[in-house]
Amino acid sequence: MTERYVFGTPFDTEAVLDKPAASPESALGHGLKLSADKKKVSYDLDKDDVIYGLGESLHGMNKRGFVYKTFNTDQTKHNEDQYSLYGSHTFILIEGAKGSLGLFTDYPGLVTYDLGFTDKDVLTITAEEADYEMYVITGKSGLEIITEFRKLIGKSYKAPLWAFGYGQSRWGYKCEDDIREVVRRHKENNLPLDAVYMDIDYMDNYKDFTLNPEAFPKFKEFVDEMKAQHIHLLPNVDAAIKIEDGYDMYEEGVKENYYCKDENGEDFIMAAWPGKSVLPDFLRPEVRRWFGLKYRFFTDAGVDGFWNDMNEPALFYSLKGLKETAEEISHLKDETDTLDLYSLWHYLDTMNALANKPEDYRSFYHEPEGKRIRHDRVHNLYGYNMARAASEVFNEIAPKMETLIFSRASYIGSHRYAGIWTGDNSSFYSHIELILHQLPNLNMCGYLYVGADTGGFAFHTSENLLKRFMQVSLFTPLFRNHCALGCREQEIYRFKDIDAFRNLLNLRYALIPYLYKSYVDSIENNKLMFTPIGLAFPEDKEARHIEDQLLVGDDLMIAPVYKANAAGRDVYLPEDMTLYLMKSDKDFTKTELSKGHHFINVDIDEVPIFVRKGKSLTLGKPAMSTAELE
Ligand code: MIG
């Protein structure tokens, strides 16, 4: 059952299209307490209550014991001291002694979730303004509540089958030949591959919907050449538009008044990769359509995949903020003889605070339906509507193609338009574990086409770390090896043990029929693709606190090894299962295991797959690309 409470005058996020009738505030029950100013809802937690949800946020699968802030942030450090990442997924599920309860706070600005942090026994949800909707969902089980919530927010975006192929990416591929080499070296080594990503260096001075003409002199021919080898190209499309006379896109937007405005009604000037830039007002349908139709530049050439980046939106600085900062640090030159440490820190902090400044997010405006609204109040809808801009026109501009789009920033609602990736993780073992925590929480918030940068984005990967990363990612819909500029090259063919990597890719391709079926089933039936065993076996007290095992679809369970130099791991089986230790789709051992705790030995080249009681492991035949799958 879903109850809907409306406080103040909420902005319509379009997260829920078909809204149930509102309940009077006095009906708010289930132990939920509303503060006098109506900004805060609180709830007393029992000792063993588990809290799921909040999508891609950091920390455990059980979110209890920390504070989370939903304000989409270009956060390159996925460490435990961060409160926000790129997406705001404001649904939580409380599983505990009093039953299961789902809460969705529909507010597109800052919402603070204090989940037993300030007071270990109290959960509070605080919206920055008392203008939001709260959906309270009850049901017989956590899984039933999740399905009810997913129905409420509408069917998730469905990516094409080819999007389950392996993709190679690196920030730093610059030209046709860089991409050709990636493809060639995969082929030479018999490594399956479906996609190569084009990161921002393909552009002409970081201008959206342009190509560096020297690097891509005959783009259409190049796309065809790649297609002939079953390779999809996926350009990165950023949010900010370069200010440059003669850049047609910029000029059209100025003429039509399509950009976000500052306090004085002038175009708000900020900086991202293109330098001084403006931000399209994606909250307006006509701006979305204009931007969406620009994708023709690529789709006409046969490009059928895209990733949207920097769309929190990330602000390297605002022009106003830069001027203020420059003024402030100019005083340093008078202090060089007398500078004390506190002043030094002040100057350092002043520079560091230039990017993504809260004041900047409060200093520009959107004009949806002619109404002026300050950006911070609708901040989390920006990336949502950028992805939507493309997704809404693909059928029109590329009716014969099966396009893929995924975004970095998101808010519940954008799950209907695009997938997401989890942004700039690092080559850390702890970030393999993080994926396991994010997957089910993303799924419950509507995101099914998801994946993390495999091998890690920042920092340097090692051969064994990449293997362990791949052993998780080979189960996720988006399976992309991606890495940052300046970090150790991490294409598979850079390492010694190519045979072992090929085996992992073969296993992935053999699993694609099962994974894609489970993926579609999760979309059609509003289910999780990745289910925590605590939710699947709610009566099982042991299963409740296990965060590093997941059911994948209806038949399988995974329990990956994600610790450095580990020879194996502990596993808890909530029922009898068959363990397949898989070196490849063809080379495996099979062991029957009974319900309960086990230590399993897992070699660096083995992937443990558990087949549930009464189910079987269905593998297809691997292929060099999804197009060649039988
Ligand atoms: O400021 O396009 O998360 O995947 O490689 C960095 C360059 C901008 C951030 C993305 C990352 C991408 C990078 N981008």
Side-chain angles (χ1 to χ4, degrees), residues 74 86 170-171 199-200 236 238 273 307 309-310 316 408 421 423-424 453 457 480 482-484:
D74 174 10
Y86 319 85
R170 179 180 174 83
W171 179 9
D199 207 329
I200 47 175
N236 166 316
D238 277 4
W273 285 101
W307 45 312
D309 192 11
M310 305 296 281
F316 287 174
R408 194 170 71 176
W421 95 100
D424 301 348
D453 286 353
F457 176 74
R480 173 174 82 144
H482 182 46
C483 176

Side-chain angles (χ1 to χ4, degrees), residues 488-542:
R488 179 181 185 178
E489 292 170 307
Q490 64 184 38
E491 295 86 0
I492 287 173
Y493 50 77
R494 308 276 177 196
F495 298 99
K496 265 187 168 164
D497 222 352
I498 297 187
D499 292 346
F501 283 109
R502 182 184 314 108
N503 286 339
L504 292 178
L505 290 181
N506 283 342
L507 179 58
R508 161 66 170 209
Y509 278 74
L511 277 165
I512 285 180
Y514 174 75
L515 293 173
Y516 197 70
K517 182 177 83 61
S518 303
Y519 168 72
V520 173
D521 178 43
S522 311
I523 294 173
E524 299 298 333
N525 297 301
N526 296 300
K527 300 194 324 197
L528 301 178
M529 180 172 169
F530 296 95
T531 310
I533 60 169
L535 283 177
F537 297 87
E539 306 303 327
D540 186 332
K541 295 258 177 319
E542 300 268 330

Side-chain angles (χ1 to χ4, degrees), residues 171-410:
W171 179 9
Y173 299 156
K174 284 197 159 49
C175 59
E176 290 182 356
D177 279 345
D178 289 349
I179 296 172
R180 279 194 187 102
E181 179 179 315
V182 172
V183 175
R184 181 177 58 79
R185 297 189 69 178
H186 278 83
K187 302 261 177 213
E188 273 172 10
N189 288 294
N190 285 316
L191 297 166
L193 184 71
D194 266 81
V196 182
Y197 287 75
M198 294 163 60
D199 207 329
I200 47 175
D201 298 303
Y202 75 81
M203 297 183 210
D204 174 15
N205 286 304
Y206 306 114
K207 284 181 282 191
D208 274 354
F209 308 108
T210 68
L211 287 156
N212 174 346
E214 274 132 53
F216 294 91
K218 290 190 177 146
F219 188 59
K220 170 92 177 78
E221 279 93 323
F222 180 61
V223 176
D224 289 342
E225 177 191 323
M226 288 296 122
K227 268 198 187 156
Q229 305 184 71
H230 307 297
I231 300 297
H232 299 258
L233 294 172
L234 289 96
N236 166 316
V237 178
D238 277 4
I241 300 299
K242 185 173 178 64
I243 299 180
E244 186 181 277
D245 289 341
Y247 172 28
D248 50 357
M249 180 152 189
Y250 167 67
E251 289 184 343
E252 275 167 39
V254 170
K255 195 165 127 244
E256 302 291 341
N257 254 317
Y258 283 164
Y259 301 122
C260 294
K261 303 287 181 217
D262 65 16
E263 290 99 327
N264 306 318
E266 305 290 334
D267 288 346
F268 171 70
I269 300 177
M270 44 72 76
W273 285 101
K276 271 205 290 178
S277 303
V278 285
L279 292 168
D281 186 356
F282 290 117
L283 270 58
R284 293 163 55 195
E286 63 278 22
V287 178
R288 282 203 293 277
R289 183 157 173 83
W290 166 72
F291 195 89
L293 292 176
K294 295 286 176 201
Y295 280 79
R296 271 191 182 134
F297 176 79
F298 290 117
T299 54
D300 285 355
V303 173
D304 53 4
F306 302 93
W307 45 312
N308 283 171
D309 192 11
M310 305 296 281
N311 54 351
E312 293 68 31
L315 308 177
F316 287 174
Y317 58 79
S318 71
L319 189 56
K320 188 162 164 271
L322 181 66
K323 285 182 176 158
E324 286 162 9
T325 299
E327 170 63 25
E328 184 57 33
I329 60 171
S330 70
H331 303 298
L332 176 60
K333 68 176 185 307
D334 309 321
E335 282 183 55
T336 49
D337 289 334
T338 56
L339 192 73
D340 65 35
L341 269 182
Y342 292 98
S343 303
L344 173 66
W345 289 331
H346 166 74
Y347 289 120
L348 289 172
D349 288 347
T350 305
M351 276 308 278
N352 284 332
L354 204 51
N356 307 323
K357 246 191 196 174
E359 298 92 286
D360 286 338
Y361 288 117
R362 286 195 293 267
S363 75
F364 65 100
Y365 295 83
H366 297 269
E367 289 184 353
E369 287 157 13
K371 287 189 289 275
R372 204 168 103 118
I373 178 149
R374 207 173 71 191
H375 174 79
D376 61 309
R377 300 188 162 134
V378 289
H379 174 72
N380 298 332
L381 301 179
Y382 194 78
Y384 167 165
N385 283 291
M386 176 179 179
R388 179 180 178 181
S391 199
E392 279 177 337
V393 299
F394 282 153
N395 273 341
E396 181 183 337
I397 64 172
K400 295 207 182 68
M401 293 203 283
E402 292 186 301
T403 43
L404 166 66
I405 181 156
F406 59 90
S407 171
R408 194 170 71 176
S410 58

